[in-house]
Amino acid sequence: MAHFVIMGVGRVGITLAHALEDSGHTVAVIDQDDRAFRKLRPSFSGKKVTGHGFDREVLQRAGIAEAYAFAAVSSGDNSNIIAARVARETFKVKHVVARIYDPTRAEFYQRMGIPTVASVRWSADQVLRRILPEHAITGDFREASGRLQLGELPLDDSWSGLHLDRIEEAAGVRIAFVTRFGEGILPASDTSYQQGDIVHAMMRVEDVERVARVLSRPPSDEVMEAVALAATQDSRGRG
């Protein structure tokens, strides 16, 4: 069970709060208008905090210090991005996502390492993919037989700097493309994973849970040993 903080109790915020609570997690919602809380279902047991989601004291009352993830989904771009930056930079919340209506701004903040989704592509499901571990791999496409699925990979930050072929070997997947700074790129033989990348890969449907489990953790000792060996061989080859 993890704790989640959501700023903005509109349609998306309510959907997220209910889905997270149904998954067994604790939830705190923040809104500057306490009348917004009336839209939550009567059985919602999470914490309701009135105030601005970028206010540190408000975030502390919502339990941000213990939060696994923070989602800023209010109707204001500026409020969302400021709150997301406070959650990440001040309270060191590892998983944050901000709702951004302006696609240009979304790309800019993506470059700053804050996952964003422009409103034209927005859905509560896309937020869950980024902040809820068990929703980390949701199929975007299945081939005709139903055996293979294309989905986003939930990579722990410690995979940063490793070549994509090492990720493929460790997880048993085939990486199709990478979204970097809001743009899709086809991986080359020397392409490495960078923090903030969204990696899309084909995998067997029956392997989805295993893939998510492997990549949501730091690379194993075996993977790092293979990386070190490859680096040694490469340096000898250049010498």
Side-chain angles (χ1 to χ4, degrees), residues 71-93:
V73 294
S74 76
S75 59
D77 282 8
N78 289 336
S79 296
N80 288 340
I81 203 64
I82 292 172
R85 292 191 65 183
V86 171
R88 167 163 284 186
E89 297 170 13
T90 301
F91 294 101
K92 310 303 180 185
V93 179

Side-chain angles (χ1 to χ4, degrees), residues 12-238:
V12 173
I14 290 171
T15 301
L16 289 173
H18 292 168
L20 290 166
E21 189 173 63
D22 289 343
S23 296
H25 302 286
T26 61
V27 183
V29 293
I30 300 172
D31 202 286
Q32 58 184 333
D33 185 355
D34 57 8
R35 292 174 297 181
F37 302 137
R38 300 173 188 172
K39 302 174 186 177
L40 293 160
R41 63 191 178 195
S43 62
F44 179 71
S45 61
K47 186 179 295 185
K48 304 167 188 176
V49 181
T50 303
H52 295 286
F54 48 80
D55 184 294
R56 297 183 184 183
E57 190 273 332
V58 170
L59 287 169
Q60 288 174 330
R61 283 194 281 129
I64 194 68
E66 298 80 37
Y68 173 83
F70 173 77
V73 294
S74 76
S75 59
D77 282 8
N78 289 336
S79 296
N80 288 340
I81 203 64
I82 292 172
R85 292 191 65 183
V86 171
R88 167 163 284 186
E89 297 170 13
T90 301
F91 294 101
K92 310 303 180 185
V93 179
K94 189 174 182 181
H95 305 280
V96 301
V97 63
R99 179 183 192 174
I100 303 295
Y101 285 88
D102 184 343
T104 304
R105 280 184 169 184
E107 181 176 344
F108 173 76
Y109 289 117
Q110 190 83 25
R111 290 174 182 270
M112 297 176 65
I114 297 177
T116 60
V117 182
S119 61
V120 293
R121 298 177 296 168
W122 188 264
S123 73
D125 178 66
Q126 288 177 315
V127 182
L128 289 172
R129 292 189 195 189
R130 289 162 173 76
I131 65 174
L132 190 59
E134 55 264 40
H135 282 241
I137 299 181
T138 301
D140 296 317
F141 167 80
R142 282 197 185 190
E143 52 78 41
S145 72
R147 296 180 179 180
L148 299 177
Q149 170 178 306
L150 176 68
E152 296 178 12
L153 300 182
L155 285 151
D156 185 85
D157 288 345
S158 55
W159 290 86
S160 296
L162 296 187
H163 282 189
L164 296 184
D165 57 358
R166 296 298 175 191
I167 296 172
E168 289 182 329
E169 292 172 6
V173 302
R174 179 63 57 85
I175 295 174
F177 65 100
V178 175
T179 302
R180 179 173 293 170
F181 303 141
E183 296 184 359
I185 62 172
L186 293 175
S189 59
D190 60 347
T191 301
S192 297
Y193 172 66
Q194 295 182 14
Q195 187 174 346
D197 285 353
I198 300 175
V199 181
H200 309 260
M202 292 296 295
M203 67 204 83
R204 289 186 292 267
V205 172
E206 64 266 26
D207 292 342
V208 167
E209 290 186 8
R210 180 189 59 79
V211 171
R213 187 168 56 252
V214 169
L215 296 180
S216 62
R217 300 171 180 171
S220 66
D221 292 341
E222 291 77 9
V223 171
M224 297 311 297
E225 288 173 2
V227 171
L229 178 60
T232 300
Q233 293 174 338
D234 185 54
S235 63
R236 288 175 178 173
R238 289 197 301 267

